[in-house]
Amino acid sequence: MPMHAQEIEDLLRQTFPDARIVVEGNDGVHMSAMVIDESFRGKNRVQQQRAVYAALKGRMDGPDGDLHALALTTKAPD
């Protein structure tokens, strides 16, 4: 079942309540997200992206996941 942008944002907001989050895409399967959060400070890009994937609570796992592709931009605030 495809995920809508708001569903993705809601899941991310549970883990990153103070983040700047922008989710884009309209097919519900191939989406993009930008997450800017203080918790990323001092973490490398892989650590940041793992935190985002963990926040999605398995919705991207395997071929039966609700979300097939999520292009991520992550960083700490300037």
Side-chain angles (χ1 to χ4, degrees):
M1 176 177 204
M3 292 183 71
H4 298 285
Q6 189 61 52
E7 291 176 89
I8 296 168
E9 182 176 342
D10 291 346
L11 280 172
L12 294 174
R13 187 84 42 214
Q14 291 174 20
T15 301
F16 308 105
D18 299 321
R20 177 169 176 234
I21 299 173
V22 177
V23 180
E24 297 177 328
N26 59 8
D27 69 0
V29 178
H30 301 89
M31 309 289 284
S32 66
M34 178 183 63
V35 183
I36 301 173
D37 191 70
E38 187 60 39
S39 70
F40 296 148
R41 191 166 307 281
K43 293 182 179 174
N44 65 40
R45 183 158 298 167
V46 171
Q47 292 169 320
Q48 293 173 17
Q49 292 186 357
R50 283 183 180 158
V52 171
Y53 290 133
L56 293 173
K57 302 179 185 349
R59 301 291 294 271
M60 284 191 70
D61 293 351
D64 296 324
D66 294 330
L67 188 60
H68 175 70
L70 181 65
L72 279 178
T73 301
T74 57
K75 66 178 188 173
D78 293 332

